[in-house]
Amino acid sequence: MRVLVTGAAGYVGYAVGRRLVAAGHEVAGLVRDAARDLPPGVRPVVGDLLDAASLTFDGPFDAVVHLAALTRVRESFTDPLRYFEVNVQGTVNLLRAVPAPRVVYGSTAAVYGTPPVQPVPETQPPAPASPYGASKLAAEEVVRYHARTGAAGAVVLRTFNAAGSVAGRPDPDPTRLIPRALAVAAGHAPHLEVNGDGSAIREYLHVDDLAAAHVAALDAARPGGEAVYNVGGGSGASVAEVVATVEEVTGRPVPVLRRPPRPEPPLLVGDSAAIRRDLGWRPGRSALPEIIEGAWRALLRSGG
């Protein structure tokens, strides 16, 4: 297929672009700057999702994989209007400009908020607890209602904590736990701040496994249909387990500075049975030591 990937130079978009090219698709990456680093085989297309007039393309696409978004939960509280502008209006502008019969939308488990049911199934009613989660849920609705007009088949993927590295590229978000712990191991910070006792459990998914899920979803986005899938690594790990694994993999200490606990769920993992059943997808690289080892090598390669 001829596929347009938004956010193709980003952390997840780069991994998805690699996978799509390897699967034999003709891939274009929507970027605001043609000089951005794209995967080999991905053709740059310059445009801005907030500038509808800039979204002009040389011919139709068979599918679009929409990944461009603002993604930081805490930042979304300081500028919620920006998050809704980029994540929702950007999605509207994209769907108007690209009448592709297949749409895969990269969403987030943040749409669930703090659900009481664990592991979280797709049937859990969304209750986002941040502007980020609310904006992604609103964009999901845009994609799904667009599909209901018959304009496109749509698959929404709700991700639980992407991590790790592909092609030697480190996770660019220094606010996430694994990059923060690795930064301490590398000597960039004196300690890792942890809220509470470190027992909170989260699920981690290798970014390459997430990319494979997007490729599988592309084949499943049948015109006229819609589906929502959780995408998770299959098991959770506590903050303390992440720290211990970082120390084991790097051979370096990660001193922890404990802060008062914050209100947060003690356990947040996803039920990914549906995508395994329907699309035949399985995580192959999401064991915590492999995620951390690849992330550590990428950090060292990048000069860290």
Side-chain angles (χ1 to χ4, degrees):
M1 286 182 271
R2 194 165 185 255
V3 184
L4 177 70
V5 179
T6 72
Y11 179 52
V12 176
Y14 192 98
V16 170
R18 287 175 77 250
R19 279 276 186 171
L20 288 170
V21 169
H25 298 292
E26 179 185 342
V27 185
L30 182 66
V31 290
R32 286 182 292 177
D33 180 358
R36 292 293 302 274
D37 182 24
L38 292 173
V42 174
R43 174 175 59 89
V45 175
V46 176
D48 187 336
L49 290 177
L50 296 184
D51 179 7
S54 74
L55 301 177
T56 58
F57 306 99
D58 57 344
F61 289 96
D62 301 305
V64 59
V65 179
H66 182 27
L67 302 169
L70 297 179
T71 61
R72 295 186 179 181
V73 173
R74 291 180 184 175
E75 181 184 73
S76 73
F77 284 99
T78 64
D79 197 354
L81 296 183
R82 178 67 174 165
Y83 268 71
F84 278 91
E85 179 184 34
V86 172
N87 294 349
V88 183
Q89 187 60 52
T91 301
V92 172
N93 291 345
L94 174 69
L95 295 179
R96 281 180 172 159
V98 187
R102 298 170 186 251
V103 176
V104 176
Y105 180 61
S107 190
T108 170
V111 302
Y112 293 119
T114 55
V117 178
Q118 298 291 335
V120 186
E122 292 90 348
T123 54
Q124 175 67 32
S130 68
Y132 164 59
S135 68
K136 293 292 283 186
L137 179 60
E140 280 190 14
E141 293 298 291
V142 169
V143 170
R144 294 167 68 187
Y145 275 104
H146 178 68
R148 291 171 193 174
T149 68
V155 174
V156 172
L157 299 181
R158 293 173 174 168
T159 303
F160 288 75
N161 294 320
S165 169
V166 296
R169 290 166 57 94
D171 184 341
D173 187 348
T175 68
R176 289 197 273 250
L177 176 60
I178 291 175
R180 287 194 293 120
L182 289 173
V184 175
H188 296 167
H191 53 254
L192 175 69
E193 294 190 6
V194 172
N195 298 319
D197 63 2
S199 63
I201 294 174
R202 299 293 182 266
E203 188 171 15
Y204 297 93
L205 173 69
H206 198 291
V207 67
D208 188 49
D209 285 337
L210 176 57
H214 281 79
V215 176
L218 187 67
D219 293 331
R222 306 298 182 189
E226 62 174 291
V228 176
Y229 294 112
N230 290 335
V231 191
S235 61
S238 70
V239 174
E241 288 173 314
V242 170
V243 171
T245 306
V246 167
E247 291 183 325
E248 181 179 353
V249 167
T250 66
R252 302 184 183 187
V254 180
V256 171
L257 176 62
R258 300 205 180 277
R259 297 294 190 187
R262 291 183 174 182
E264 62 178 352
L267 174 66
L268 187 57
V269 297
D271 180 348
S272 299
I275 191 172
R276 297 175 185 232
R277 179 190 67 237
D278 295 352
L279 306 189
W281 172 86
R282 297 286 188 281
R285 303 182 60 186
S286 291
L288 190 60
E290 180 172 353
I291 286 175
I292 291 174
E293 183 179 356
W296 177 242
R297 288 199 307 266
L299 180 63
L300 297 178
R301 175 180 173 180
S302 69

